[in-house]
Amino acid sequence: MCKLKGMRDFLREEEGMGTVEIILIIVVLVGLVIIFKSQITAVVNSLFQKITSQTGSV
């Protein structure tokens, strides 16, 4: 009976769940960056071109 209670307590323990969730979020974000790399690069390049072209007018 004591082993069963110990097993129940072990399964209910949630201390390590935050780390696992953060790792999963990072993995998903890295996957999205890999999939949409060319689109992200195009958007960033476009933004920098607009920034550099409009800095002369300030």
Side-chain angles (χ1 to χ4, degrees):
M1 192 68 173
C2 185
K3 286 184 180 183
L4 184 61
K5 184 176 187 244
M7 184 64 124
R8 253 191 258 147
D9 290 341
F10 175 75
L11 291 175
R12 289 184 183 168
E13 188 175 324
E14 297 181 6
E15 290 180 5
M17 294 301 285
T19 305
V20 172
E21 291 167 355
I22 290 178
I23 289 172
L24 288 175
I25 290 170
I26 291 171
V27 167
V28 168
L29 288 175
V30 168
L32 289 173
V33 167
I34 290 171
I35 292 171
F36 297 109
K37 181 180 177 183
S38 59
Q39 289 90 344
I40 293 171
T41 305
V43 169
V44 170
N45 286 336
S46 172
L47 287 173
F48 279 127
Q49 286 176 355
K50 286 182 184 178
I51 290 170
T52 55
S53 67
Q54 292 180 0
T55 56
S57 64
V58 173

